[in-house]
Amino acid sequence: LRQADGGGAVVSFELPDRAAAVRLLKRVKIPLVAVSLGGVESILSYPAVMSHAAMPPEERAARGITDGLVRLSVGLESVGELIADLEQALEV
């Protein structure tokens, strides 16, 4: 709290399943798809197959790391452009 006020720049959200998460990762244009959440560019990570891939599925589930969980670290890009990119990537 001494360094900043308000919320953080990492957002986790749940998609219905692995297929929806993979579709999102393939369709975004602005965020990089990577494990790291620290950089000046926006980054999407998919914990089930990236940072927590070595963890047994039942342990991941117990910790809330489902096949639909995606994390977005917001970078310096235009918020409007980032939202538009995510919206187009999430269209069915």
Side-chain angles (χ1 to χ4, degrees), residues 12-52:
S12 295
F13 55 95
E14 190 78 31
L15 296 173
D17 52 29
R18 180 181 297 260
V22 170
R23 186 171 50 251
L24 171 74
L25 297 172
K26 287 182 177 180
R27 295 176 71 179
V28 293
K29 297 174 184 154
I30 295 175
L32 300 174
V33 176
V35 176
S36 172
L37 296 175
V40 296
E41 60 280 316
S42 293
I43 298 172
L44 271 177
S45 73
Y46 183 38
V49 299
M50 291 178 170
S51 58
H52 293 77

Side-chain angles (χ1 to χ4, degrees), residues 12 14 47-48 51-67 69 71:
S12 295
E14 190 78 31
S51 58
H52 293 77
M55 188 179 286
E58 51 282 343
E59 178 141 357
R60 281 198 314 268
R63 294 175 185 241
I65 302 166
T66 67
D67 284 345
L69 181 70
R71 291 186 180 146

